[in-house]
Amino acid sequence: MATLVVHNQTSSAQDAEALQQAFKGWGADDKAIIAILGHRNVHQRQEIRKAYEEIYQEDLIKRLESEISGDFERAMYRWMLQPADRDAVLVNVAIKNGTKDYHVIAEIACVLSAEELLAVRRAYHRRYKCSLEEDVAANTTGNLRQLLVGLVTSYRYEGDEINVKFSQTEANVLHESVKEKKGNSEEVIRILTTRSKTQLVATFNRYRDEHGISISKKLLDQTSDDFHKVLHTAIRCINDHKKYYEKVLRNAVKKFGTDEDGLSRVIVTRAEKDLKDIKELYYKRNSVHLEDEVSKETSGDYKKFLLTLLGK
Amino acid sequence: MATLVVHNQTSSAQDAEALQQAFKGWGADDKAIIAILGHRNVHQRQEIRKAYEEIYQEDLIKRLESEISGDFERAMYRWMLQPADRDAVLVNVAIKNGTKDYHVIAEIACVLSAEELLAVRRAYHRRYKCSLEEDVAANTTGNLRQLLVGLVTSYRYEGDEINVKFSQTEANVLHESVKEKKGNSEEVIRILTTRSKTQLVATFNRYRDEHGISISKKLLDQTSDDFHKVLHTAIRCINDHKKYYEKVLRNAVKKFGTDEDGLSRVIVTRAEKDLKDIKELYYKRNSVHLEDEVSKETSGDYKKFLLTLLGK
């Protein structure tokens, strides 16, 4: 379930006018901006952007960027983009910022549905004038490239069928590869990038039944190189993406200095989807409310905005 | 330009009734079937199939399969399917029939537009309850798998932009790899599977300018293994798919015994698109009309049907 609290608006045009009002004078009225945009769903936000453009001949997102700044600006920017467009931006930043945030690419490729991932690839064309896989491939090599390109270009079957024989043999392939570390990455890549998620979960379950430990835990010993890190992320996202996001949030607030990118990313991308479930997992795991942690670790308008999206 | 001569129909229901009439008695009236379905465009054919199902509670394609046989049946079956569904069938047969017709997979992946290829992947899900790349990957290994999976999962950018620097450096990469034969296939795969077709054509042109020979001619010396054969097909399809199809037709009729699969495939898939251009290329290259060759090499209803699609 979502955490976003959607308020009924009178009209997109009135919202656009109220925003214009908030931009007036020295320094924008950030509270008013959050009160409006922090309570509108994705459809309403796109309508407000359209209405703003029509009335003021100006792109609302560009105006927001000039009115606000820092982490608040970055989070609001992601919040205002259409989801596919936002994910295209996230992937592009992950490829090109030099910090090797490959896990963000794996996360988007493995959490989204086949059609959603495709929408991101379309948005990538429009925005960057090349294909998503083109940029991923040009900035990686070897088995890391194969794995990442395979993940972002997948169009997985989404039926419920499970082939028990495959889950058995492929659990063994994964085991052999994980055990040796330098094992057969070619087959691991094939399995992870082409099988349906339902089939993969059956394979992971089979692995745990046979070896008494989950494959993601087993991989933890070996996440020294980028390839194994991405493998780990992909498996966790396919297995249970809510648990995965809970961990991203936990790491983000517990990190020295707080990882605002991770924090914003999860809250902005899941607020309209399943952030309520992720929050509950967070409480169960950490015995502390996510909102309280966010309150402690962030400040100002950024904090207000995140807490609004968290449904406070 | 197309060769298909579309006759105006009165209604899909009347066509369905006329077909039902043609099915009556011992042996179907093949001439009547060709006179109707050989002169209907893809939209009309789908409407006729729908009308037939509504009136007679029977799938027209299944009925056709039971009424006609041999090469005529196979060609008609492919003609009656929606293009994306037909291409899904062609790829599936190429993967699974054991004859290693990998060039058919490369052909479909490289000739279609990004959205058309995607429609094939969707059709593959519906028909085979798994993903196209899943079947391709499970039935190949090594660099052949990487190349084929990369081709079928590509969603190429389709803008006109050309990066001159890339075409220079990547022409060199291709040259080094082709020269050594055992060269860097990883980079060749990256280039062939992720760059836009416009960019690739610029790279191929650059290659010819530098080395005085086209890359596809150069590759001909080396098409001993499946990987290099698929590479050759992919390059030819991206460079000039009409010239490629002309060659497929030439090989199909010149082959001892005639390659009916190749002949039917090109005529059925291109009749509504650019078969007229391919026919002209054929005449220019061979100084003989394609229709005359087809007349000589085929017979019966199969011949009548192909000649009808060829616009005779």
Side-chain angles (χ1 to χ4, degrees):
Chain A
M1 277 196 29
T3 52
L4 179 71
V5 180
V6 178
H7 293 172
N8 282 333
Q9 50 169 190
T10 41
S11 81
S12 310
Q14 283 197 349
D15 276 347
E17 283 160 23
L19 285 166
Q20 169 71 6
Q21 205 59 37
F23 297 149
K24 278 194 177 148
W26 284 89
D29 180 354
D30 295 341
K31 230 175 122 181
I33 296 173
I34 295 171
I36 299 167
L37 296 175
H39 293 289
R40 297 291 181 274
N41 66 28
V42 59
H43 176 70
Q44 292 171 326
R45 299 197 298 278
Q46 301 314 313
E47 290 300 311
I48 294 170
R49 193 178 170 191
K50 237 191 273 171
Y52 193 93
E53 177 93 46
E54 274 167 29
I55 303 172
Y56 303 108
Q57 275 83 55
E58 189 185 12
D59 180 10
L60 175 58
I61 293 183
K62 287 219 174 93
R63 182 64 191 259
L64 280 165
E65 287 184 296
S66 75
E67 294 288 346
I68 62 184
S69 63
D71 295 323
F72 178 39
E73 177 202 334
R74 264 192 300 279
M76 182 58 86
Y77 177 73
R78 280 149 178 62
W79 179 243
M80 287 303 293
L81 292 176
Q82 291 216 20
D85 202 24
R86 174 200 64 215
D87 289 341
V89 170
L90 288 172
V91 171
N92 183 266
V93 170
I95 300 168
K96 302 214 160 159
N97 72 353
T99 55
K100 295 186 172 187
D101 290 333
Y102 301 127
H103 63 282
V104 176
I105 305 173
E107 171 187 309
I108 288 168
C110 294
V111 171
L112 298 186
S113 72
E115 285 296 329
E116 286 171 337
L117 178 55
L118 192 73
V120 177
R121 296 172 78 184
R122 280 204 195 92
Y124 205 96
H125 279 202
R126 277 195 301 273
R127 188 173 267 271
Y128 301 109
K129 308 291 170 210
C130 71
S131 73
L132 194 165
E133 60 266 33
E134 194 169 351
D135 273 349
V136 171
N139 287 280
T140 49
T141 55
N143 54 9
L144 176 67
R145 173 196 283 171
Q146 271 186 61
L147 177 58
L148 280 174
V149 170
L151 292 174
V152 299
T153 58
S154 68
Y155 182 76
R156 294 182 200 271
Y157 177 63
E158 290 177 343
D160 279 338
E161 298 88 343
I162 291 172
N163 185 317
V164 178
K165 213 182 73 194
F166 287 171
S167 58
Q168 167 75 68
T169 54
E170 296 181 355
N172 289 342
V173 172
L174 294 179
H175 177 66
E176 286 305 312
S177 172
V178 170
K179 204 176 61 179
E180 296 169 37
K181 196 166 174 180
K182 292 271 169 212
N184 189 348
S185 69
E186 197 193 324
E187 278 295 287
V188 172
I189 291 167
R190 174 185 66 77
I191 295 167
L192 260 291
T193 60
T194 69
R195 293 298 186 204
S196 78
K197 292 182 186 173
T198 310
Q199 177 69 38
L200 284 171
V201 170
T203 302
F204 301 152
N205 286 340
R206 181 86 211 185
Y207 184 101
R208 200 181 34 214
D209 292 346
E210 298 245 319
H211 304 288
I213 181 174
S214 75
I215 179 163
S216 56
K217 281 220 180 67
K218 182 80 192 166
L219 265 168
L220 265 185
D221 311 336
Q222 321 203 337
T223 47
S224 49
D225 59 14
D226 290 327
F227 173 75
H228 283 91
K229 277 184 198 161
V230 169
L231 200 60
H232 187 240
T233 301
I235 290 172
R236 298 203 64 216
C237 288
I238 290 167
N239 222 350
D240 187 340
H241 72 268
K242 291 176 193 171
K243 265 173 80 178
Y244 165 80
Y245 281 127
E246 185 279 325
K247 180 88 175 281
V248 174
L249 289 171
R250 195 184 340 144
N251 288 342
V253 293
K254 298 242 158 106
K255 209 169 142 179
F256 180 75
T258 315
D259 168 19
E260 282 84 5
D261 272 346
L263 193 61
S264 300
R265 189 177 78 250
V266 179
I267 292 178
V268 164
T269 57
R270 307 315 295 183
E272 277 177 283
K273 299 201 159 183
D274 48 17
L275 192 51
K276 195 150 187 277
D277 309 326
I278 298 167
K279 253 170 60 175
E280 282 164 14
L281 277 177
Y282 192 94
Y283 185 73
K284 229 189 243 171
R285 174 70 175 70
N286 304 288
S287 308
V288 50
H289 290 292
L290 178 59
E291 290 96 321
D292 296 339
E293 292 283 79
V294 170
S295 276
K296 224 167 59 191
E297 298 295 331
T298 61
S299 63
D301 300 315
Y302 178 53
K303 170 169 136 182
K304 264 182 234 151
F305 183 46
L306 292 189
L307 290 177
T308 302
L309 295 187
L310 277 163
K312 224 186 174 169
Chain B
M1 276 194 34
T3 53
L4 179 71
V5 181
V6 178
H7 293 173
N8 282 333
Q9 49 170 192
T10 40
S11 80
S12 310
Q14 283 198 348
D15 277 347
E17 283 159 24
L19 285 167
Q20 169 71 6
Q21 206 57 38
F23 297 150
K24 278 193 177 152
W26 284 89
D29 180 354
D30 296 342
K31 231 175 122 181
I33 296 173
I34 295 170
I36 298 166
L37 296 175
H39 293 289
R40 298 290 182 274
N41 66 30
V42 60
H43 175 70
Q44 293 171 326
R45 298 197 297 280
Q46 301 314 313
E47 291 299 311
I48 294 170
R49 193 178 170 190
K50 239 191 274 172
Y52 193 91
E53 177 93 46
E54 274 167 27
I55 303 172
Y56 304 107
Q57 274 83 54
E58 190 185 11
D59 181 9
L60 176 57
I61 293 184
K62 287 219 173 94
R63 181 65 190 257
L64 281 165
E65 286 184 297
S66 74
E67 293 288 346
I68 61 182
S69 62
D71 295 324
F72 178 39
E73 178 201 335
R74 265 191 299 279
M76 182 58 87
Y77 177 73
R78 280 149 177 62
W79 180 242
M80 287 303 294
L81 292 176
Q82 290 215 21
D85 202 22
R86 175 199 64 215
D87 289 342
V89 170
L90 288 171
V91 172
N92 184 265
V93 170
I95 299 169
K96 302 216 162 159
N97 72 352
T99 56
K100 295 186 172 188
D101 289 333
Y102 302 128
H103 63 280
V104 176
I105 305 173
E107 174 188 308
I108 288 169
C110 294
V111 172
L112 298 186
S113 71
E115 286 295 332
E116 286 171 337
L117 178 55
L118 193 72
V120 177
R121 295 172 79 184
R122 280 202 196 94
Y124 205 95
H125 279 202
R126 278 194 300 273
R127 188 173 267 271
Y128 302 108
K129 308 290 171 212
C130 71
S131 74
L132 195 165
E133 60 266 32
E134 194 170 351
D135 273 348
V136 171
N139 288 281
T140 48
T141 55
N143 55 10
L144 176 67
R145 173 195 283 171
Q146 270 186 61
L147 177 58
L148 280 174
V149 170
L151 291 175
V152 299
T153 58
S154 68
Y155 183 76
R156 292 182 202 273
Y157 177 62
E158 290 177 343
D160 280 337
E161 297 87 343
I162 291 171
N163 185 318
V164 178
K165 212 181 74 193
F166 288 171
S167 58
Q168 167 76 68
T169 53
E170 295 181 355
N172 289 342
V173 172
L174 294 179
H175 177 67
E176 287 305 312
S177 172
V178 169
K179 204 176 61 181
E180 296 170 35
K181 196 165 173 179
K182 293 268 170 216
N184 188 347
S185 68
E186 195 192 327
E187 277 295 287
V188 171
I189 291 167
R190 174 185 67 77
I191 294 166
L192 260 291
T193 60
T194 68
R195 293 298 186 205
S196 78
K197 292 182 186 174
T198 310
Q199 177 69 38
L200 283 171
V201 170
T203 302
F204 302 153
N205 286 339
R206 182 84 209 184
Y207 183 102
R208 200 182 34 215
D209 291 347
E210 297 244 320
H211 304 287
I213 181 174
S214 75
I215 177 163
S216 55
K217 282 221 178 68
K218 183 82 192 165
L219 266 168
L220 264 186
D221 311 337
Q222 322 201 335
T223 49
S224 49
D225 60 15
D226 290 328
F227 174 73
H228 282 92
K229 277 184 199 160
V230 169
L231 200 61
H232 187 239
T233 301
I235 290 170
R236 298 204 64 215
C237 288
I238 290 166
N239 221 349
D240 187 340
H241 72 270
K242 292 177 193 171
K243 265 173 80 177
Y244 165 82
Y245 281 127
E246 185 280 325
K247 180 89 175 279
V248 174
L249 289 171
R250 196 186 337 146
N251 288 342
V253 293
K254 297 243 157 105
K255 209 168 142 180
F256 180 74
T258 314
D259 168 19
E260 282 84 4
D261 272 346
L263 193 60
S264 300
R265 189 177 78 249
V266 178
I267 292 178
V268 164
T269 57
R270 308 315 295 180
E272 278 176 283
K273 299 200 160 185
D274 47 17
L275 191 52
K276 196 150 188 276
D277 309 326
I278 298 167
K279 253 169 61 174
E280 283 166 11
L281 275 177
Y282 192 94
Y283 185 74
K284 229 189 244 170
R285 175 68 176 72
N286 306 287
S287 307
V288 50
H289 291 292
L290 177 61
E291 291 94 323
D292 296 338
E293 292 282 79
V294 170
S295 278
K296 223 168 60 192
E297 299 294 332
T298 60
S299 64
D301 299 316
Y302 178 53
K303 171 170 136 182
K304 265 183 233 148
F305 183 46
L306 292 188
L307 291 178
T308 302
L309 295 186
L310 278 162
K312 228 191 169 162

